[in-house]
Amino acid sequence: PVARVVVNVPATTANLGPGFDSFGFALDVWNRVIVQKSDRFEMVVEGEGEGRISLTEDNLVVQCVRKVLHSLGKEMPPLRFECQNAVPPTRGMGSSSAALVAGLAAGLALGGKDVTTPANKKLLLQLAANEEGHADNVAPAIYGGFQIAFNAEGHWITQRVHIPDGLQCVLFIPDDEMPTTEARAVLPAKIDRKDAIFNIARASMLINCFATSQFDPLRMAMEDRLHQQYRKHMFPFEPIIKDALEAGAPGGLPSRAG
């Protein structure tokens, strides 16, 4: 039986303009979660979120470990959790998805599953996306790279999109926070057909830009009418994106809270 598990999960940026709840890619910023059997429960958080993230058994990582073990017919034994966090919480970098994936992966490993196999990675994707309700963050958190993900007949599917060598992602991380629930609450229940067409065209072009390394239209391909316009008052960072584009960035977009 496994007595100690170490899980590394990257930050992610999702939506990517027109790819709302569908597109996401992994960033080279990592959380590490170490779970090991102990004689009593203990939770330690270091780095981002230290002093703020729950140290009790209602912590998301702990909840996910317990849930997976229960699904495997096992009780969660006394465990020591150590979270070494580099991903800042509620900053649009997939912190909750990182915690979710880390906890579920640790639970599977403690339950005797090899999470590096393709079958168990697929299982991890199903568990994580079902918990999250969408897979744009959890898919790249599990598989890395640029992922397109959706649900078909109750099953989550993801595929990787080519990212050209040498492409860099530059982040501006604000001090203010925005919980996902608040950011999603401002979105309308219905959209106009012309806005759907607008996003379909740009989402398709965005994928082609990455797949073919043709980035001239990328700034237009990252435009959106499903979510960004409704959140402008919450995330007033358009001048920063404008300055980045004028400085030569091929594209820019907000990556915030769902």
Side-chain angles (χ1 to χ4, degrees), residues 18 197-207 220-221 223-224:
I197 294 170
F198 182 98
N199 268 54
I200 290 169
R202 280 154 180 77
S204 302
M205 182 65 74
L206 189 153
I207 295 304
M220 288 80 76
E223 295 173 341
D224 164 83

Side-chain angles (χ1 to χ4, degrees), residues 84-107:
Q84 302 170 359
N85 295 339
V87 182
T90 58
R91 298 296 211 291
M93 293 175 64
S95 59
S96 60
S97 297
L100 189 70
V101 169
L104 294 172

Side-chain angles (χ1 to χ4, degrees), residues 119-178:
N120 285 327
K121 277 194 173 184
K122 286 183 179 180
L123 173 59
L124 179 57
L125 175 66
Q126 305 311 308
L127 294 171
N130 283 336
E131 286 290 328
E132 190 102 304
H134 46 91
D136 52 343
N137 283 108
V138 297
I142 295 167
Y143 289 98
F146 184 171
Q147 299 285 329
I148 305 176
F150 59 82
N151 187 285
E153 299 179 351
H155 184 77
W156 294 96
I157 299 170
T158 190
Q159 283 196 346
R160 189 167 188 148
V161 178
H162 169 71
I163 296 181
D165 291 339
L167 191 67
Q168 293 185 330
C169 181
V170 179
L171 305 176
F172 169 77
I173 306 172
D175 292 331
D176 64 307
E177 302 180 3
M178 178 56 63

Side-chain angles (χ1 to χ4, degrees), residues 200-246:
I200 290 169
R202 280 154 180 77
S204 302
M205 182 65 74
L206 189 153
I207 295 304
N208 192 64
C209 287
F210 277 84
T212 63
S213 301
Q214 299 180 72
F215 288 111
D216 287 345
L218 184 63
R219 64 180 62 197
M220 288 80 76
M222 284 185 163
E223 295 173 341
D224 164 83
R225 288 186 182 172
L226 297 189
H227 63 102
Q228 289 182 6
Q229 61 184 324
Y230 303 107
R231 295 167 165 173
K232 282 184 179 180
H233 66 288
M234 307 173 83
F235 311 130
F237 304 118
E238 283 194 0
I240 295 173
I241 296 175
K242 183 174 181 291
D243 288 345
L245 295 174
E246 290 177 352

